[in-house]
Amino acid sequence: MSIKVGDKAPGFTLPKQDGTSVSLNDLLQKSAVVLYFYPKDDTPGCTQEACSFRDSYEAFKDAGAEVVGISSQSADSHKAFAAKHRLPFTLVSDEGGKVRKQYGVPSTLGLIPGRVTYVIDRGGTVRHVFNSQLNAARHVTEALGVIQKLRGASPS
């Protein structure tokens, strides 16, 4: 069962690239969250996607959202990936794929972990889901457009 627009986002607490833990509830206390699941650190599509989020990170922050990348690699792998590409946002380690399963992120060809982005409002409700394994950069434009609309719809 996959999470759809209008569903409550499943909570989680996972290790970040710096070794500390972060929970979805803690993040939602401060801002909306763009949670993007990606297959693997330092692969071409994942690097393109992460760098696209990096390049638009200030626009997400200005619109009231935090970006969080999530995959099954270790916190150490995420730390190296984030440092190499100067990623300003949090990467979390979902070793074993438990959170990926909670969200129902599909695999491609049953082998490659899927690439799905969720926009979650401060109330914890999923407002947008975008699933595309091959169009990595579009995850950023889709999510940013939704975040900006949410920002415009809520009083400042």
Side-chain angles (χ1 to χ4, degrees):
M1 187 174 103
S2 62
I3 299 299
K4 298 178 288 309
V5 171
D7 290 347
K8 280 292 183 191
F12 60 82
T13 300
L14 292 171
K16 300 189 304 185
Q17 72 259 36
D18 66 4
T20 63
S21 291
V22 66
S23 75
L24 179 61
N25 287 339
D26 289 346
L27 292 166
L28 292 173
Q29 296 297 314
K30 300 173 193 148
S31 65
V33 173
V34 175
L35 181 66
Y36 80 95
F37 288 84
Y38 66 99
K40 191 173 181 185
D41 293 339
D42 251 344
T43 56
C46 296
T47 299
Q48 176 192 18
E49 181 179 30
C51 290
S52 293
F53 273 114
R54 176 200 64 207
D55 295 346
S56 296
Y57 184 67
E58 287 305 316
F60 280 103
K61 294 298 285 181
D62 290 347
E66 185 55 63
V67 175
V68 178
I70 182 169
S71 76
S72 61
Q73 279 71 52
S74 69
D76 286 341
S77 175
H78 288 340
K79 184 176 183 177
F81 182 52
K84 180 177 180 180
H85 298 288
R86 302 176 328 278
L87 305 179
F89 51 86
T90 299
L91 298 177
V92 295
S93 178
D94 182 27
E95 290 188 79
K98 182 179 176 192
V99 175
R100 181 178 287 277
K101 288 181 187 117
Q102 286 178 306
Y103 278 76
V105 176
S107 295
T108 301
L109 305 174
L111 301 169
I112 301 165
R115 183 185 314 279
V116 181
T117 298
Y118 298 86
V119 175
I120 305 166
D121 69 19
R122 288 191 63 186
T125 300
V126 175
R127 301 296 294 264
H128 186 74
V129 178
F130 182 70
N131 179 353
S132 175
Q133 188 71 293
L134 301 178
N135 198 343
R138 187 157 164 218
H139 286 260
V140 177
T141 56
E142 289 270 332
L144 187 56
V146 172
I147 286 295
Q148 289 171 332
K149 283 181 190 164
L150 289 176
R151 179 68 170 206
S154 65
S156 298

